[in-house]
Amino acid sequence: MECDDVTGGLEFDVESDDDDAINVQESDVLGDISDFWDDLAETSDDQRANPHTKQGSVTEGPNAENGLSRIALDDNKAGMDGLDKQKINDIIFSVSKGSRFYENEARKDEMARKRTERAVQELGRLKSLDLTTERSIVEQLCTKLEAQRDLSKVIVHVDMDAFYCAVEERDDPSLKGKAFAVGGTAMLTTASYAARAFGVRAAMPGYIALRLCPELKFVRPDHRKYSAASEEVRKVFQRYDPNFRPMSLDEAYLDLTPYLSMHPEDTPITVVSRMREEILSETGLTASAGIAANSLLAKVCSDRNKPNGQYFLPFDRESILEFVQALPVRKPPGIGKVTEQFLHALGIRTCKEIWDNRVYLYKLCSAASFDYFMRVVMGIGSSHEDRFGSGPDRKSISHETTFYPTSDATAMRATIRRLSHSLSVEMAEEKIKGNTVTIKLKRSDFRVFQKSKKLMRYLKMEDDIVAVALELLNDELQVNPGIELRLMGVRMSGLASSEVDKNVGIAKVSESSEYLGLIPKHLFSI
DNA sequence: ATACATACC
DNA sequence: TACTGGTATGTAT
């Protein structure tokens, strides 16, 4: 018998870290926007913001900058005023220290630190160079981006407040105001606002959360309930933008432009207020929203007045630049902990400082990263983002499972078969096929590996997927017998529709082999 | 083309 | 008692 499979079917799905209680008032940063754009025009000698001078003065204590920011409390999302971060981090570290998970995080952190260190060295060298040429290239790039600025659309990002917890609280009033979390002792998907006051967060292991908040209650996740609630919420979205783009059960982007042009008496603010009231009255759940000229900005705005609030960012360039440049680098979506640390090491802590150091970043980063940074700090949306209605098809589909670490090859193969089975079932439901199979392996020390194989034909049948996935696994077991795993996954990519287009006449063509060279690849479905 | 890393929910 | 599951994309080779 094959004894793979350990995790009791907990369907995790970490809800957005999003909201965090309280506050958020207009930051009074204000100031000299005036020379923001002017810098571009005149190739001025900015940069004197001299990144390095701030280096030494880290006030956040031992963990914040130098230590393991991966492990430390993520204080990005607002509303952490009454929180003793030092104490919380001490607890998190003392509980995690020495675990295999911790050691792996430390290893990854060290890798990233080395990369960053090279960039810091390089920055020092760049400082002594004449970057006139680069400056003008950057200027041109930014002028191109500026030409893409689109202030004509009204985009709103709606984000439900502590969604899973809110649903549970609605259905069980005894939870009201209590510190509880949805999830188990291994992993939390959502924390109630009362629990967040203790530093408890989504994506935090429950047993650590329990140290932070001994009275924490656990509620088992019930996805059907959340899906049902999400459906109700989406019915409201539908009324305002039939092409709304859901990002998860609790979050979506809407383009309100058409609605507003059909309702001249409305404003973005009144529409979103009404929409949030309808969500509340029809589902008993509160939502927060951000209204801005593009989805990137709207996303940042929706976090601003959470929970149960909304924030409107005016649709003029000056307001947008002022808003964006005051942001800490961690705020915009896409800049995570690693990139934040990278930027911090360069002395860059706000989006204004990204702008000020753009010539150095141009030299230090890849073209894609630089382009993204500039889009962020100029408040330009990313290029394809706000084309609603024609959402791109999914590019991959995968299943994975965590289990008690094992070296048992038979159990591993059984798990591959089981994952391939469920994958093929879902692929059938979705009517898709794929030509690339990837297996994912996580060793008991948490190091992750993957092996993939691109085929000349499309697969969708369980047995075919199993065959390729097993081949990949066996290759690895050859090279690395005795390897101990805690997770395996199977992914299919290179996807295409598996529905046969009846107009094309498969039978006719496939019977005459002389046409083979001309048959489009996608007709070779199996 | 493949492997690995980062990010988001 | 013990650090998820799913998808997309960027970076490196």
Side-chain angles (χ1 to χ4, degrees), chain A residues 311-324:
Chain A
Y311 184 91
F312 172 83
L313 177 59
F315 288 62
D316 62 278
R317 185 174 159 277
E318 296 297 296
S319 301
I320 291 171
L321 294 185
E322 178 184 334
F323 175 86
V324 160

Side-chain angles (χ1 to χ4, degrees), chain A residues 499-509 520 522-523:
Chain A
E499 285 189 292
V500 179
D501 184 342
K502 297 194 169 73
N503 295 326
V504 179
I506 291 277
K508 185 175 60 184
V509 209
H522 71 271
L523 291 183

Side-chain angles (χ1 to χ4, degrees), chain A residues 190 196 201 464 480 489 526:
Chain A
T190 318
R196 293 178 196 200
R201 289 292 180 277
D464 295 317
N480 207 339
I526 56 170

Side-chain angles (χ1 to χ4, degrees), chain A residues 24-96:
Chain A
V24 185
Q25 67 292 52
E26 203 80 13
S27 66
D28 51 345
V29 200
L30 297 235
D32 36 21
I33 292 298
S34 35
D35 47 14
F36 189 78
W37 179 247
D38 293 348
D39 285 353
L40 277 185
E42 60 186 54
T43 312
S44 75
D45 253 72
D46 46 281
Q47 268 73 26
R48 298 306 64 127
N50 194 352
H52 284 303
T53 48
K54 296 178 181 176
Q55 271 305 74
S57 57
V58 174
T59 55
E60 290 98 324
N63 317 327
E65 290 292 296
N66 348 319
L68 279 168
S69 76
R70 283 170 207 265
I71 296 245
L73 179 72
D74 188 347
D75 58 354
N76 172 38
K77 307 294 183 179
M80 320 221 1
D81 291 4
L83 259 151
D84 187 345
K85 291 175 205 161
Q86 183 61 57
K87 188 175 172 189
I88 290 168
N89 277 329
D90 285 349
I91 293 176
I92 293 175
F93 275 74
S94 71
V95 178
S96 313

Side-chain angles (χ1 to χ4, degrees), chain A residues 296-307:
Chain A
L296 194 153
L297 293 170
K299 167 98 170 127
V300 177
C301 290
S302 71
D303 194 54
R304 205 83 175 185
N305 283 326
K306 221 169 218 315

